[in-house]
Amino acid sequence: MRRSFAQGVCAAALITALAASPAALAQAVQTAAERVFMDADELIEDRSAGTYTARGDVRLASGDRVIYADEIVYDIANGRITARGGVRIFEGGAPAQTADEVELDDEMREGVAYGFATLLENNGRAAAAAALRRPDGSVELTDAYYTACNLCEDASKEPTWRLRADHVVRDVDDSMIYYRDVRLEIAGVPVAYAPRFAHADPSAERKSGFLLPSVDISNRLGLSYQQPYLWVISPYQDLVIAPRVMTEVNPLLELEWRKRFYSGEINAEASFTYGQEFDADGDFGPEQLRGHIFADGLFALSPDWRWGFGVQAASEDTYLRRYDYNESPEESDALYAFSQQRTLINQLFLAGKGEDYYFDTAVIAFDKLQDGFDDDQLAYVTPLVRGHYDGELPMGLGDFDFDFNLTNLRREFGDDYTRASLGLSWSRPVIIPGGLRVEGFADTRLDAYRTVERDAFNTTIDERNFVRARGAAGIDVSYPFVRPGSRYDLIIAPRTAAIIANGGDPDERPLLQDLETVDFGRSFLFDPIRAPGYDIFEDGFRIDAGLEFAVRDREDVYGLEAFVGRSYRLSGGKERFGPASGLFEDDSDWLADVEVDLGWFETGASARIDSETGEINRIDAEITAEYGRAVGSLRYTELADEAAALARESLDVSYAYALTETWSTFYRGSFDLDAGEGRRQEAGLRYRDECTDFRIFYQRENIQIGNLGPSESLKFEIVLFTLGGVGED
């Protein structure tokens, strides 16, 4: 029979109140009840010694603190509690603390534990031969260690890593853990030592201190060592100061600053160095201050409206590549961004978005990272305004979209361009009995232009102002056939669209600023207006036709999808796309897509096939397979259209093989098959478990940018979970 509060701990108060009045006795019982509650299988009272001994699944509680143990001895006279055997201590929502034996005061705020271990926030773990708990909640450990790795109960296997120290203090006020005579052990082997060391408590959100360093070796920079320091300026602002020392060039200072405001935030990164330019042959040019800055900010004006800015600048076109920086920010809150175009963009913008509208306006300036290019030829966008509104007509007459676009381009050297466009589109889909889907649609647009054309000497040779109206209308019909099966469903879906658009006066054509071509594919085939911009409007009467075929597994594991289609022009075609677009005066290339999913094997390909010769003008194919411990992928692209300005053929390869549960090898490569060269390759070894992620790999980039030739480097990346990481990520 279990004994609980009235028969147990409360007896201490009763003994001292035997001669008291009933009211005093009740007060004593109430006071004891508020302090301590005990529950156990067996309770032994020793009145002469003033102790209570509880045995068998013992539970002792005081406020939000609870202790479980095999045995607990409560010494009333000395106000001490001793717990033995499988001791577990819980306090509020904090993780459990365990020990072989614990001695505490009667309020369970201060004490000492032997054979102590605890699980910290974020999966951190600490253990010690002895632990002393202070009244403020701080803990001092002797002969202790800290790790984020899982521990074997029988200690048959050492953790992947741990910090072992003679003395450790967990300071709850500073949210820090301090070590004395600390060693970093890898698989039980000491690899580093420090007389003093500290890191933030895993429960702390942010703390100032040194971060793990970064180390790599490259043919451009030599051996590089970067040591970042995090300075937490306030709860809303921090700065990372990261000097980088390199054996082949002068040192560099890198800064990363973040600040949050009531309505938004600013993020900035910058680097500075003083030295010469360099290439594979050595240094050249004057010594001077060089560097870069990427910054962006985003602020809320209301729940639906925000404004922001983006700043990107470098001291010279090759600075970012020379010092192994990305030529565009990896993450940015700015509205516009370029990828893989070696163009920096500076902008100031305002944007709003609601349930049925979108609006933004921006002023933009560009900087092209190309040696010998005159940036005065780049346009200043002053401004770009875009607006969109979705609406629904009454009585189910369909949906409409209203669009507005204003673009103003100014150049220091070259042509100027201004255009304002108003667009209105309507659509109304209907399902006819029998499953036939019919959708009617119409688009109309009014464009107003002002263009200024200049010659090679930047002298104005022509100014034009004109207005043009464009419109298109059509009908889109599809009829999917579905045949359900016990294991597979078969779907055949033919689709046809008829579209007519007005032509235009050849004199009402602007100097083209939009793209002259389109990446013609399945997603563009049935678009009423297939131009990617505003300056080309595809006129005439055309028929678009396509057929989709699919076999789908009922359990959504296996599947096959295929599509074939093309476009036929019956009239018009005065405004055509570029010769390599696949869209011609009378018809288009054939489009063909296929996807196969076998679970462990997936493949897909899309092709553009010449309608007259049957030759493949473009193909994009990808294969992904996972078998046993291996996973790999191939991506092949070929643009072979004779009308294309630049034919190209490329192959991307990735492969990984799991040697064990934790060790694996990997390879990634990008190849220019036209040139017969690899453009980028990585190969290395990786270790990953529940507490560690380590990679060592060789990287080569074979790209000629300005005076910078190929680069080779040996990189190290390691993350010790809860402590931090080393590497590019």
Side-chain angles (χ1 to χ4, degrees):
M1 179 177 178
R2 296 185 62 80
R3 299 173 64 84
S4 59
F5 170 78
Q7 297 172 303
V9 177
C10 187
L14 296 177
I15 294 173
T16 60
L18 287 177
S21 65
L25 177 61
Q27 180 63 38
V29 171
Q30 183 179 5
T31 300
E34 292 174 350
R35 289 180 57 198
V36 180
F37 179 90
M38 181 182 287
D39 194 35
D41 291 337
E42 180 183 8
L43 181 63
I44 301 172
E45 178 185 1
D46 187 341
R47 293 195 175 188
S48 61
T51 62
Y52 290 88
T53 302
R55 295 193 180 99
D57 195 15
V58 185
R59 176 178 176 269
L60 185 67
S62 175
D64 61 351
R65 299 174 185 85
V66 182
I67 299 178
Y68 294 92
D70 295 337
E71 177 184 274
I72 293 181
V73 178
Y74 182 24
D75 187 337
I76 301 173
N78 296 314
R80 304 296 295 174
I81 299 171
T82 302
R84 302 184 181 93
V87 181
R88 291 167 294 153
I89 304 174
F90 296 88
E91 184 172 356
Q97 301 175 2
T98 64
D100 297 330
E101 181 176 331
V102 174
E103 294 182 9
L104 297 169
D105 64 0
D106 53 5
E107 293 185 354
M108 294 189 288
R109 293 184 178 274
E110 184 177 10
V112 62
Y114 303 96
F116 172 81
T118 183
L119 178 66
L120 306 175
E121 291 82 353
N122 297 326
N123 209 37
R125 295 170 173 83
L132 176 64
R133 178 189 172 93
R134 299 296 187 186
D136 62 359
S138 63
V139 177
E140 298 183 18
L141 308 179
T142 302
D143 189 14
Y145 67 81
Y146 169 83
T147 184
C149 305
N150 294 332
L151 303 176
C152 297
E153 295 184 3
D154 58 1
S156 60
K157 180 183 177 183
E158 297 286 355
T160 304
W161 65 267
R162 63 182 171 188
L163 294 175
R164 181 181 288 277
D166 294 341
H167 188 72
V168 181
V169 175
R170 184 188 189 192
D171 192 321
V172 294
D173 292 332
D174 292 342
S175 297
M176 292 290 293
I177 297 179
Y178 299 93
Y179 298 80
R180 188 173 66 200
D181 293 328
V182 60
R183 289 89 65 193
L184 172 62
E185 295 182 354
I186 303 295
V189 178
V191 297
Y193 168 81
R196 296 288 189 273
F197 180 73
H199 65 81
D201 192 308
S203 63
E205 294 185 1
R206 296 184 307 155
K207 294 292 293 183
S208 297
F210 287 101
L211 305 177
L212 290 177
S214 174
V215 180
D216 63 48
I217 304 171
S218 74
N219 63 328
R220 288 179 184 166
L221 306 176
L223 175 64
S224 298
Y225 177 87
Q226 186 170 36
Q227 178 58 68
Y229 178 84
L230 172 63
W231 177 21
V232 179
I233 302 172
S234 72
Y236 317 104
Q237 181 179 194
D238 59 43
L239 175 67
V240 175
I241 306 169
R244 193 194 329 175
V245 179
M246 297 154 284
T247 58
E248 297 298 323
V249 296
N250 288 349
L252 175 148
L253 178 63
E254 182 178 320
L255 304 172
E256 293 185 22
W257 177 66
R258 301 183 302 172
K259 185 170 183 178
R260 295 185 181 275
F261 302 86
Y262 174 77
S263 61
E265 63 179 311
I266 294 177
N267 300 283
E269 69 171 70
S271 67
F272 306 94
T273 187
Y274 189 84
Q276 297 176 276
E277 294 190 65
F278 60 87
D279 57 19
D281 298 326
D283 300 338
F284 64 92
E287 283 196 340
Q288 62 185 47
L289 183 65
R290 306 176 189 276
H292 89 283
I293 182 170
F294 290 158
D296 62 77
L298 185 64
F299 298 88
L301 298 173
S302 70
D304 295 335
W305 287 85
R306 66 192 191 278
W307 74 274
F309 67 89
V311 175
Q312 299 176 20
S315 56
E316 56 265 350
D317 293 334
T318 57
Y319 174 85
L320 295 167
R321 281 191 172 267
R322 283 204 309 270
Y323 290 96
D324 288 339
Y325 289 108
N326 289 326
E327 292 184 329
S328 60
E330 293 184 2
E331 297 182 2
S332 176
D333 289 326
L335 188 63
Y336 292 94
F338 281 120
S339 61
Q340 299 179 354
Q341 294 189 25
R342 307 201 64 231
T343 301
L344 303 183
I345 178 171
N346 296 276
Q347 58 192 293
L348 179 66
F349 62 87
L350 170 71
K353 183 178 181 180
E355 291 185 1
D356 50 14
Y357 75 90
Y358 177 81
F359 173 89
D360 68 54
T361 180
V363 290
I364 307 170
F366 304 97
D367 180 11
K368 196 171 185 63
L369 300 178
Q370 180 177 327
D371 282 345
F373 183 84
D374 185 2
D375 287 338
D376 287 344
Q377 299 180 41
L378 294 175
Y380 293 93
V381 185
T382 58
L384 171 61
V385 182
R386 302 182 301 178
H388 180 83
Y389 179 80
D390 295 332
E392 186 174 324
L393 295 174
M395 297 182 294
L397 295 178
D399 301 325
F400 70 90
D401 297 331
F402 173 77
D403 291 279
F404 172 75
N405 186 284
L406 170 64
T407 302
N408 185 47
L409 306 181
R410 290 291 180 268
R411 292 179 174 85
E412 296 291 335
F413 194 98
D415 303 332
D416 292 339
Y417 167 100
T418 302
R419 176 189 42 77
S421 298
L422 292 174
L424 183 65
S425 62
W426 165 86
S427 64
R428 173 69 167 91
V430 176
I431 305 297
I432 297 177
L436 184 67
R437 182 184 185 277
V438 179
E439 180 177 0
F441 55 85
D443 286 91
T444 183
R445 196 174 77 222
L446 182 67
D447 302 320
Y449 284 91
R450 172 176 172 77
T451 63
V452 178
E453 185 179 1
R454 297 186 175 95
D455 61 16
F457 301 99
N458 209 33
T459 301
T460 300
I461 58 176
D462 187 26
E463 294 187 26
R464 300 174 61 209
N465 296 276
F466 61 91
V467 177
R468 68 179 187 180
R470 297 299 177 94
I475 187 170
D476 189 333
V477 180
S478 59
Y479 197 6
F481 297 89
V482 181
R483 180 180 179 180
S486 58
R487 294 185 58 188
Y488 300 96
D489 293 337
L490 176 63
I491 302 172
I492 300 177
R495 181 180 177 184
T496 301
I499 302 166
I500 186 170
N502 73 309
D505 187 340
D507 294 331
E508 294 180 351
R509 295 178 184 176
L511 300 171
L512 292 178
Q513 303 291 332
D514 291 330
L515 295 175
E516 296 184 43
T517 188
V518 61
D519 188 8
F520 182 49
R522 179 178 174 182
S523 60
F524 278 94
L525 177 61
F526 296 99
D527 278 3
I529 301 176
R530 295 189 288 209
Y534 289 83
D535 294 331
I536 295 179
F537 195 98
E538 188 180 9
D539 64 334
F541 179 59
R542 76 177 200 260
I543 300 292
D544 302 328
L547 177 66
E548 180 180 354
F549 173 83
V551 179
R552 296 175 182 171
D553 178 22
R554 280 295 183 92
E555 297 181 358
D556 200 24
V557 176
Y558 310 108
L560 166 66
E561 292 188 13
F563 174 84
V564 62
R566 67 179 299 190
S567 181
Y568 302 87
R569 187 179 303 281
L570 304 181
S571 67
K574 295 179 181 179
E575 292 198 35
R576 297 188 298 273
F577 299 102
S581 65
L583 293 167
F584 312 113
E585 183 174 354
D586 297 327
D587 55 20
S588 74
D589 283 345
W590 282 99
L591 300 177
D593 291 355
V594 62
E595 295 181 11
V596 178
D597 186 357
L598 301 180
W600 64 274
F601 176 87
E602 296 181 34
T603 184
S606 60
R608 191 158 51 80
I609 305 169
D610 192 291
S611 59
E612 295 182 358
T613 65
E615 295 180 353
I616 295 178
N617 286 331
R618 174 163 186 165
I619 184 169
D620 294 276
E622 185 171 5
I623 297 175
T624 301
E626 183 174 357
Y627 184 76
R629 297 182 175 183
V631 58
S633 67
L634 295 172
R635 181 174 180 83
Y636 173 79
T637 298
E638 181 181 9
L639 180 58
D641 197 326
E642 293 182 356
L646 178 64
R648 66 178 186 270
E649 188 178 11
S650 63
L651 178 68
D652 295 324
V653 181
S654 68
Y655 173 78
Y657 182 79
L659 302 171
T660 67
E661 291 184 357
T662 54
W663 286 97
S664 62
T665 61
F666 64 90
Y667 172 81
R668 289 192 292 266
S670 297
F671 299 89
D672 184 338
L673 300 183
D674 289 312
E677 296 179 345
R679 292 306 183 195
R680 181 183 176 95
Q681 297 183 72
E682 288 182 359
L685 187 66
R686 183 177 189 178
Y687 175 89
R688 182 181 176 90
D689 60 16
E690 78 284 349
C691 62
T692 311
D693 191 355
F694 168 75
R695 296 199 312 161
I696 178 172
F697 60 98
Y698 167 81
Q699 183 182 92
R700 173 179 170 83
E701 286 190 347
N702 185 21
I703 303 174
Q704 185 72 37
I705 301 293
N707 54 17
L708 293 178
S711 68
E712 296 179 272
S713 59
L714 182 64
K715 295 184 177 293
F716 305 87
E717 295 180 359
I718 182 169
V719 178
L720 306 180
F721 297 160
T722 75
L723 287 186
V726 173
E728 297 179 317
D729 297 331

